[in-house]
Amino acid sequence: MLRTNETFLSYLEQLYSKQERKEDIVIRSFSKGTRIFVQNEKSPKVMLINDGVTKCYFEEENDKEYIMEFLGKGEIIGEIEFIKNINCLCTIEAVTEVSVYAISVPYFRTLVENDIALNNLLLNAFAERIINTSARASYQQLHTTEHSLAKLLELQSKQEIEISKENMAAYLGVTIRSLNRALKSLNKK
């Protein structure tokens, strides 16, 4: 439910500290509710979340959101757009205060071309996403909304974050009305 990648975070922390002038990788902060990347717009940099929680979502033509993932420490964003040279596939929005390592595109290009460690981290991140997407799809098919909601509420409690009803519904792929029924059902248990 909340994706993190401590190995990638450690790698980027080392790169950041080795910089002499701190120009290729900078730390940026975003307040809660800020859109870090916007669907269909140009991605300004490749970023790695240093701290905080974001939501990654698609906005459909009918203005409905579908949250793919909640992303935390060590999750990379903007790399697919860089590799494919496309606009942002989805929107990334800060759910809490967020700090990121923002990597300049020319520097990231150099790393991709020359750093086997980065390439291995990217391959692992891509493989992990495929596994998580497949697992989530089957999980949603095999479990009730109440069961998935209970897991989401557990995440909210563990991370001490506030997830709005709209975001819960968008993550579970249900309407607010269905979410309210599931919440009511959980409260009865």
Side-chain angles (χ1 to χ4, degrees), residues 58-176:
F58 289 106
E59 192 167 334
E60 299 297 331
E61 292 170 7
N62 60 3
D63 292 330
K64 291 194 179 198
E65 292 178 8
Y66 178 71
I67 298 176
M68 298 295 297
E69 296 290 349
F70 290 101
L71 306 172
K73 289 182 177 188
E75 287 296 312
I76 190 165
I77 54 178
E79 80 292 352
I80 292 172
E81 291 80 356
F82 164 81
I83 291 168
K84 297 295 291 176
N85 193 28
I86 58 174
N87 288 338
C88 295
L89 290 171
C90 55
T91 298
I92 307 288
E93 184 177 313
V95 174
T96 65
E97 297 292 314
V98 172
S99 70
V100 300
Y101 289 106
I103 310 160
S104 71
V105 171
Y107 183 61
F108 192 74
R109 181 175 289 109
T110 300
L111 289 172
V112 167
E113 291 170 356
N114 300 306
D115 190 339
I116 192 74
L118 173 76
N119 285 296
N120 285 332
L121 287 166
L122 285 171
L123 284 172
N124 281 331
F126 294 149
E128 195 67 29
R129 285 183 190 161
I130 291 168
I131 291 165
N132 291 335
T133 300
S134 300
R136 182 168 173 214
S138 65
Y139 187 89
Q140 285 183 324
Q141 291 293 317
L142 298 172
H143 293 87
T144 64
T145 301
E146 289 84 6
H147 183 62
S148 299
L149 176 59
K151 294 289 186 189
L152 188 57
L153 292 171
E154 185 180 315
L155 167 71
Q156 178 177 259
S157 177
K158 267 190 209 174
Q159 295 295 319
E160 298 178 359
I161 57 174
E162 188 71 28
I163 302 174
S164 68
K165 280 188 175 182
E166 290 80 10
N167 282 342
M168 286 184 194
Y171 181 77
L172 297 171
V174 298
T175 64
I176 295 287

